[in-house]
Amino acid sequence: MGRFEWMGEINRHRYVLEHILALLLLMASLADHAAGLPLRRRRTVLEILGRGEAEARAFVLGMATGAPACGGDVAPEPAPLDDAANLAAGLRVLALALGVLLAQARRVAVEAGPRAGLSPPKPAGSARPWREAPALPAPDTS
C-alpha cells in the first residue's frame, strides 16, 4: 500500500480512530485508579487492561508500519502487570502514537490531497451531526 493510500485509509476512518484514541486515554486513567485498589481487584483490572493494551499495541504498530494488526490467530502478549503506572504510561504512549498518525494523515491530505486524489478530512462538526445543537426559534416578543 502506497503512502497516499495509507493516509487515505486513516482519513476515511478518522472518526473511529479518534474514538480509539479516547478509549486508550480512558484505559490509562483506569490503570491509574487501579493502583489504589486492593491487590485482588487491582490484578483483575490490570489483567483486563493489559490485554486491551496488547491488542491496541498490535493495532497501532500495524498501522504505523503497514503490517497486519495481528499475526493471525495469535494474540499479542500483554505487558507485565507489575505496576499500574507502567501500564498507564504504555497506554498513553499508544494514544500519543495514534494521535501523531492522525495528525500526519491530516497534514498530508491537506497538503497533497488534490494532487494525490485525497480529500481533506471533514471538519469535526460535520462527522457528528447529533452533537450540533438545533436552532432555537426566535423568542416571541409581542
Side-chain angles (χ1 to χ4, degrees):
M1 183 179 293
R3 176 181 177 194
F4 293 120
E5 293 172 24
W6 176 77
M7 294 294 173
E9 280 295 309
I10 289 177
N11 280 323
R12 271 191 290 285
H13 302 291
R14 173 170 294 284
Y15 184 63
V16 172
L17 293 171
E18 287 171 350
H19 272 61
I20 292 171
L21 189 146
L23 286 172
L24 287 170
L25 293 174
L26 177 65
M27 289 170 60
S29 178
L30 288 172
D32 284 335
H33 289 296
L37 293 175
L39 180 62
R40 191 172 190 178
R41 283 192 177 170
R42 181 174 57 237
R43 296 286 295 163
T44 302
V45 170
L46 293 180
E47 284 177 13
I48 293 168
L49 293 176
R51 222 6 115 179
E53 188 269 345
E55 293 294 335
R57 184 175 4 106
F59 176 75
V60 172
L61 289 175
M63 279 182 48
T65 61
C70 188
D73 294 332
V74 179
E77 277 299 311
L81 297 175
D82 57 349
D83 189 11
N86 285 341
L87 182 59
L91 288 163
R92 286 188 178 97
V93 167
L94 287 172
L96 177 66
L98 183 54
V100 167
L101 288 172
L102 287 167
Q104 183 181 13
R106 177 181 296 271
R107 183 184 53 79
V108 168
V110 168
E111 290 176 359
R115 290 186 311 231
L118 293 176
S119 58
K122 296 179 181 175
S126 65
R128 303 174 196 103
W130 59 87
R131 287 191 179 177
E132 295 174 8
L136 298 175
D140 186 12
T141 57
S142 56

